[in-house]
Amino acid sequence: MAISNFETTIGLEVHVELKTNSKAMSPSPVSYGAEPNLNTNVIDWGYPGVLPQANEGALEAGMMAALALNAEITPYLHWDRKNYFYPDNPKAYQVTQQFEPIAKNGWLEIEVNGEKKRVGITEMHVEEDAGKNTHADDGYSYVDLNRQGTPLIEIVGEPDLKTPDEAYAYLEALKEAIQFTGISDVKMEEGSMRVDANISIRPIGSKQHGTKIELKNLNSFNYVRKGLMFEEQRQAKLYLSGQTLKQQTRRYDESTGETILMRVKETADDYRYFPEPDLAPIHIDEAWIQRAQTKLPLAAGVRRAHYMNDLGLEPYDAEVLTQTLAMADFFDQTVELGADAKRAANYLIGDVNAFLNSKHQDLQETQLTPNNLANMINLIEDGTISTKMAKQVFKAITEGQEPVQYVEDHDLKQLSDPAILLPMINSVLDDNEQSVIDFLGGKERATKALIGPIMKMTKGNANPTVVNDLMHQALEARR
């Protein structure tokens, strides 16, 4: 159905789990994939009489996110209770920052079809996550409180987005900005980044906004786009049939491509917000903000500009190297250790990415190090090994071996000594008189038949560049 007679308004709320050592309000450790209910304590269980303590690192991470998203950090903030009951939340409330969020008035720039647009960020809250329910085939539901209390930032965007494609571009830009602060893995597949989308449509020219529908817990950017596209069509159909839309929370079913009603939307009154009595208000002074600023890594856009303008890389190379913070950091460190930038980029984009894909690993999970990659590249650059030999050395460094020592142990050095190579070359010329005549007669290709025997005599270890130079000198000497 065409929706050309309507305009769409989209606002996104994104939850990002913070990569802290402990939880937002308790000393329980934070680690993904731990045995169920292992990382919990009496505060997470909601025992009466226990007192929470705010995680300073989570607040600092919130400040770093605010700085990366061009937001104003709130100097005085306090905590609030958001009351609701779920089996995975034994306290029956969530500690959040409803009335004094850690930051307000941020923005992000997106680009869709070549057009740039600034999208506002209303506010950001530091809060705690709920646990996780699993509904098993045995008819029982299981509660895991490991996630209960994990620190989050909730990033509430302005309803500035007009199309599902703009929503997709916003999420990509937001993920990149947060990832390059280093405060979160932003892995949707592990739940460290989750999206709620609000969408409404209205007839073009109408001054009254349409009824807002929320799509809850979307776990891929593609599902966000598809869910919003379905909602545009569904809501337009209801409008055109004269039906009234009701404010709802819906979920996207990826198997059918449709959205399904979950519940009639709660309002803020339903949560009975009130100030958290067990936590004191917090003052964020300028010195603390400056400390957070100094911990911020360089943003992806800054690095791309450096790679292209200062290191001479192509835009594609710069784009691929900044797809993850780990890859960009690895590249920076490799170059700082003396590796040629273009060759380092080629290895990371080609061989390293292929290796990671084959092992289904992230870079930080491997034994690869910037030092070993830089040393291997330097061995190529100074002629110690050929690019063909480097394939063997690369496999060794993925297994944690140091390249210089590996080359020594396996006698992989290229043979470049003229004192050794020249007698071999003259011997080959003596045995291939017709090829010598052909070369001296102007047939450059004749050298190919002469270089082959040299490589065979040296078991492939001869330096091709040196052999080629010496071969030409020897041939010219016979002219």
Side-chain angles (χ1 to χ4, degrees):
M1 175 188 297
I3 59 165
S4 56
N5 294 330
F6 296 92
E7 61 181 354
T8 303
T9 301
I10 299 169
L12 301 180
E13 295 179 9
V14 180
H15 288 88
V16 174
E17 279 190 355
L18 301 176
K19 202 166 55 177
T20 54
N21 293 323
S22 58
K23 294 186 177 179
M25 301 295 161
S26 87
S28 294
V30 175
S31 60
Y32 178 78
E35 181 182 340
N37 296 309
L38 183 67
N39 297 334
T40 59
N41 72 2
V42 290
I43 296 175
D44 308 317
W45 302 333
Y47 274 27
V50 297
L51 289 176
Q53 184 171 358
N55 184 330
E56 186 176 315
L59 287 169
E60 194 160 284
M63 283 185 264
M64 292 169 70
L67 292 167
L69 299 176
N70 311 294
E72 302 164 6
I73 295 174
T74 306
Y76 292 93
L77 56 87
H78 67 78
W79 304 92
D80 307 291
R81 287 187 181 184
K82 179 182 181 182
N83 294 276
Y84 61 90
F85 174 78
Y86 280 109
D88 56 5
N89 179 19
K91 291 188 299 187
Y93 63 84
Q94 176 189 32
V95 178
T96 183
Q97 296 170 338
Q98 174 68 13
F99 301 111
E100 292 293 346
I102 194 167
K104 301 176 182 176
N105 303 324
W107 56 268
L108 261 180
E109 187 173 81
I110 64 171
E111 183 172 341
V112 177
N113 298 326
E115 292 190 13
K116 294 183 178 179
K117 176 178 181 176
R118 181 176 289 194
V119 181
I121 293 171
T122 313
E123 58 192 30
M124 296 169 47
H125 315 93
V126 175
E127 58 188 26
E128 55 181 359
D129 207 348
K132 182 180 179 182
N133 296 322
T134 302
H135 309 291
D137 294 336
D138 60 8
Y140 289 90
S141 291
Y142 297 87
V143 178
D144 179 4
L145 296 181
N146 278 346
R147 201 175 66 182
Q148 166 69 35
T150 298
L152 296 173
I153 50 172
E154 181 184 37
I155 303 164
V156 182
E158 290 283 328
D160 291 341
L161 303 164
K162 300 302 180 188
T163 68
D165 283 343
E166 287 188 1
Y168 191 97
Y170 170 83
L171 289 170
E172 283 195 319
L174 181 64
K175 181 179 179 180
E176 179 183 277
I178 294 296
Q179 185 186 46
F180 273 75
T181 64
I183 64 171
S184 174
D185 292 330
V186 283
K187 291 182 177 178
M188 297 197 81
E189 67 275 16
E190 294 182 3
S192 60
M193 184 176 183
R194 305 192 294 274
V195 181
D196 299 337
N198 292 299
I199 177 171
S200 65
I201 67 169
R202 61 181 173 183
I204 291 177
S206 172
K207 294 182 179 179
Q208 186 175 357
H209 282 289
T211 302
K212 188 168 63 177
I213 302 295
E214 181 186 44
L215 302 182
K216 195 74 175 173
N217 287 334
L218 296 156
N219 59 7
S220 92
F221 293 177
N222 205 27
Y223 292 162
V224 172
R225 179 159 54 189
K226 288 181 176 179
L228 292 171
M229 291 171 66
F230 179 83
E231 271 302 304
E232 283 184 320
Q233 298 284 342
R234 188 185 72 85
Q235 293 179 28
K237 184 177 181 180
L238 290 174
Y239 263 115
L240 293 173
S241 64
Q243 298 184 55
T244 302
L245 272 76
K246 296 179 180 178
Q247 191 169 340
Q248 298 174 341
T249 296
R250 303 175 70 87
R251 70 175 178 85
Y252 177 71
D253 186 331
E254 54 265 31
S255 65
T256 63
E258 300 177 350
T259 66
I260 299 169
L261 176 65
M262 293 174 65
R263 58 179 182 265
V264 176
K265 178 63 180 172
E266 297 92 341
T267 66
D269 290 342
D270 295 325
Y271 291 120
R272 296 181 295 111
Y273 285 100
F274 65 85
E276 161 63 61
D278 291 337
L279 289 165
I282 292 174
H283 172 48
I284 297 177
D285 59 20
E286 191 59 32
W288 196 0
I289 295 174
Q290 288 301 317
R291 286 201 301 276
Q293 179 78 62
T294 60
K295 293 180 180 178
L296 272 178
L298 285 176
V302 175
R303 296 192 197 212
R304 282 194 287 271
H306 168 60
Y307 297 163
M308 292 185 288
N309 300 333
D310 303 327
L311 302 182
L313 300 187
E314 297 296 323
Y316 172 80
D317 295 344
E319 193 69 37
V320 175
L321 290 172
T322 53
Q323 284 182 347
T324 67
L325 176 61
M327 182 68 79
D329 280 347
F330 198 105
F331 172 73
D332 289 347
Q333 293 165 27
T334 305
V335 173
E336 286 171 5
L337 288 165
D340 175 76
K342 180 59 179 171
R343 201 181 285 274
N346 288 343
Y347 266 100
L348 282 165
I349 293 169
D351 296 57
V352 172
N353 266 336
F355 172 75
L356 297 178
N357 291 333
S358 69
K359 299 294 182 182
H360 305 290
Q361 289 181 323
D362 292 329
L363 193 53
Q364 57 270 31
E365 296 173 319
T366 72
Q367 298 187 70
L368 284 166
T369 67
N371 190 58
N372 281 353
L373 183 61
N375 285 344
M376 188 193 80
I377 289 172
N378 289 336
L379 289 172
I380 301 170
E381 290 290 320
D382 68 14
T384 302
I385 60 173
S386 64
T387 53
K388 183 179 178 182
M389 292 171 172
K391 292 185 180 299
Q392 185 177 339
V393 179
F394 178 77
K395 183 175 184 300
I397 66 174
T398 64
E399 296 167 352
Q401 299 194 53
E402 202 287 318
V404 174
Q405 189 62 52
Y406 181 85
V407 167
E408 288 286 345
D409 293 344
H410 293 79
D411 194 22
L412 277 179
K413 287 183 180 178
Q414 285 193 120
L415 182 55
S416 303
D417 187 349
I420 298 175
L421 290 173
L422 204 49
M424 296 182 186
I425 290 171
N426 280 318
S427 173
V428 170
L429 296 185
D430 291 342
D431 294 340
N432 293 274
E433 187 176 352
Q434 185 57 49
S435 294
V436 173
I437 293 170
D438 291 343
F439 174 83
L440 296 177
K443 295 181 178 177
E444 173 68 25
R445 294 177 57 186
T447 57
K448 291 186 177 180
L450 299 170
I451 289 176
I454 301 296
M455 301 306 290
K456 187 175 181 180
M457 292 167 72
T458 59
K459 298 180 180 177
N461 288 343
N463 185 324
T465 302
V466 175
V467 169
N468 188 60
D469 290 344
L470 292 174
M471 179 71 72
H472 278 78
Q473 292 173 24
L475 284 166
E476 291 298 335
R478 299 188 180 210
R479 189 178 292 278

